Amino acid sequence: MSAVFTSLAKAFGQLTDRAVLCVVAKSVALTVLVFVVLGWALYAGLVEAFARAGLAGEAGGFAGAAAAVLIAGLAFWFLFRVVALAVLQFFADEIVEAVEARHYPEACAQARHLPFRRDLANSLRGIGRTLAVNALALPLAVVLMFTGIGTAVVFLGVNAWLLGRELTDMAWLRHCGDADGAERDNPVAKGQRIALGAVIAAIMLVPIANVLAPILGAAAGTHLTHLAIGQGTRTVRDA
């Protein structure tokens, strides 16, 4: 598990890099924009719904705004991870390239650049997987709600698994042969992926820090991936 902490420490050390800060600015701006657009659409829809129900004018506008703020706030709390990670997929290459250029220059020179359609497909696949797995875990989370912490533990575990996979796939996709290979042959051990995912999922629960969590996770996932690739190469050579 020391590889996970080493990767996180290196990732923290690179958060001040210009390339990384540029991705932080773009991903945060786009994430906020997504929630603003969704919030505006929600407000407009609620005002229209209240008007149809006979609650028009200032009363309808106030009720729509209040409901929109409440729902948008809850959505931001529960869906921030999904949206932020989906947005990061579009800039994942830039984070991975920044880490590889500084720490793994030879691998960076040999890596392939993923086309936009591939980034879009990865984002949509990740969103679908996240929503599906969380929906499957919801009944168990509801059953464990009376325990006080059971629900939080279920969702932390589920999202640790999801995050660990997605954050290491970002780098692995640049070096594997094909998409199917990425799904099957991610070289990072499952325990390490889950540990990394758990740390990033926990950071995402902390206000302000949650903005940097996806970037930190992508950088740490890149280090983990290259450590695993290096170990695999040494094993082959030793054999």
Side-chain angles (χ1 to χ4, degrees), residues 51-139:
R52 289 175 180 271
L55 188 61
E58 292 185 6
F62 177 79
V69 168
L70 177 61
I71 296 173
L74 291 173
F76 184 83
W77 179 260
F78 288 109
L79 297 179
F80 177 82
R81 191 202 74 79
V82 178
V83 175
L85 203 59
V87 168
L88 178 61
Q89 289 280 4
F90 288 101
F91 309 116
D93 266 9
E94 296 180 43
I95 291 292
V96 177
E97 283 176 8
V99 173
E100 289 182 345
R102 178 171 173 177
H103 297 278
Y104 315 99
E106 292 185 8
C108 185
Q110 298 171 1
R112 58 175 179 166
H113 182 77
L114 300 180
F116 173 79
R117 59 182 179 80
R118 183 68 179 277
D119 285 336
L120 178 60
N122 292 335
S123 294
L124 295 176
R125 188 182 301 114
I127 291 173
R129 183 165 51 229
T130 297
L131 294 177
V133 174
N134 276 277
L136 289 173
L138 185 59

Side-chain angles (χ1 to χ4, degrees):
M1 214 53 66
S2 61
V4 176
F5 295 114
T6 299
S7 298
L8 284 166
K10 289 181 177 180
F12 267 114
Q14 204 164 350
L15 286 179
T16 55
D17 282 12
R18 182 174 181 178
V20 175
L21 289 175
C22 182
V23 177
V24 170
K26 289 190 293 187
S27 60
V28 169
L30 187 52
T31 300
V32 171
L33 178 62
V34 168
F35 279 104
V36 168
V37 171
L38 291 176
W40 178 85
L42 178 64
Y43 166 73
L46 287 171
V47 169
E48 177 65 22
F50 288 140
R52 289 175 180 271
L55 188 61
E58 292 185 6
F62 177 79
V69 168
L70 177 61
I71 296 173
L74 291 173
F76 184 83
W77 179 260
F78 288 109
L79 297 179
F80 177 82
R81 191 202 74 79
V82 178
V83 175
L85 203 59
V87 168
L88 178 61
Q89 289 280 4
F90 288 101
F91 309 116
D93 266 9
E94 296 180 43
I95 291 292
V96 177
E97 283 176 8
V99 173
E100 289 182 345
R102 178 171 173 177
H103 297 278
Y104 315 99
E106 292 185 8
C108 185
Q110 298 171 1
R112 58 175 179 166
H113 182 77
L114 300 180
F116 173 79
R117 59 182 179 80
R118 183 68 179 277
D119 285 336
L120 178 60
N122 292 335
S123 294
L124 295 176
R125 188 182 301 114
I127 291 173
R129 183 165 51 229
T130 297
L131 294 177
V133 174
N134 276 277
L136 289 173
L138 185 59
L140 178 59
V142 171
V143 170
L144 296 176
M145 191 175 295
F146 73 93
T147 65
I149 63 170
T151 299
V153 170
V154 169
F155 281 121
L156 180 63
V158 165
N159 286 291
W161 176 73
L162 288 166
L163 277 167
R165 176 176 174 173
E166 292 176 21
L167 292 172
T168 51
D169 273 356
M170 289 180 183
W172 177 234
L173 282 168
R174 286 165 45 84
H175 299 279
C176 69
D178 53 71
D180 292 335
E183 296 294 328
R184 295 191 310 267
D185 305 325
N186 187 314
V188 182
K190 184 178 293 186
Q192 292 180 336
R193 294 202 304 264
I194 292 175
L196 173 63
V199 172
I200 301 304
I203 294 176
M204 282 186 166
L205 297 176
V206 181
I208 299 178
N210 57 6
V211 172
L212 295 175
I215 307 294
L216 176 65
T222 302
H223 285 295
L224 267 182
T225 300
H226 281 283
L227 288 173
I229 291 174
Q231 289 172 353
T233 303
R234 286 196 295 272
T235 299
V236 171
R237 288 175 178 172
D238 291 344

